Amino acid sequence: MQQNIEFERCIDFLVRMIDKYGAEVLRELEEEKQNKEEKKAAVS
């Protein structure tokens, strides 16, 4: 029972963080991907 409560608290926290920061993290990952592709194209 205690493990279920702790697990649910963890999941609630993760959901809040994804809701709050998810779009920003995805945007940063996309920018990093584009930067790598641009560097790769510049070297070629």
Side-chain angles (χ1 to χ4, degrees), residues 33-44:
K33 181 180 175 184
Q34 288 177 354
N35 288 340
K36 286 181 182 178
E37 290 173 355
E38 289 172 1
K39 287 181 182 178
K40 187 176 180 181
V43 171
S44 298

Side-chain angles (χ1 to χ4, degrees), residues 2-41:
Q2 182 64 27
Q3 288 179 340
N4 285 344
I5 293 170
E6 291 173 1
F7 178 75
E8 287 183 20
R9 287 180 61 206
C10 179
I11 296 301
D12 288 342
F13 171 78
L14 290 173
V15 168
R16 287 194 311 272
M17 293 301 103
I18 291 169
D19 284 345
K20 187 172 184 178
Y21 299 111
E24 181 180 344
V25 170
L26 288 175
R27 188 169 39 255
E28 289 177 8
L29 289 172
E30 186 62 31
E31 288 175 7
E32 286 179 16
K33 181 180 175 184
Q34 288 177 354
N35 288 340
K36 286 181 182 178
E37 290 173 355
E38 289 172 1
K39 287 181 182 178
K40 187 176 180 181

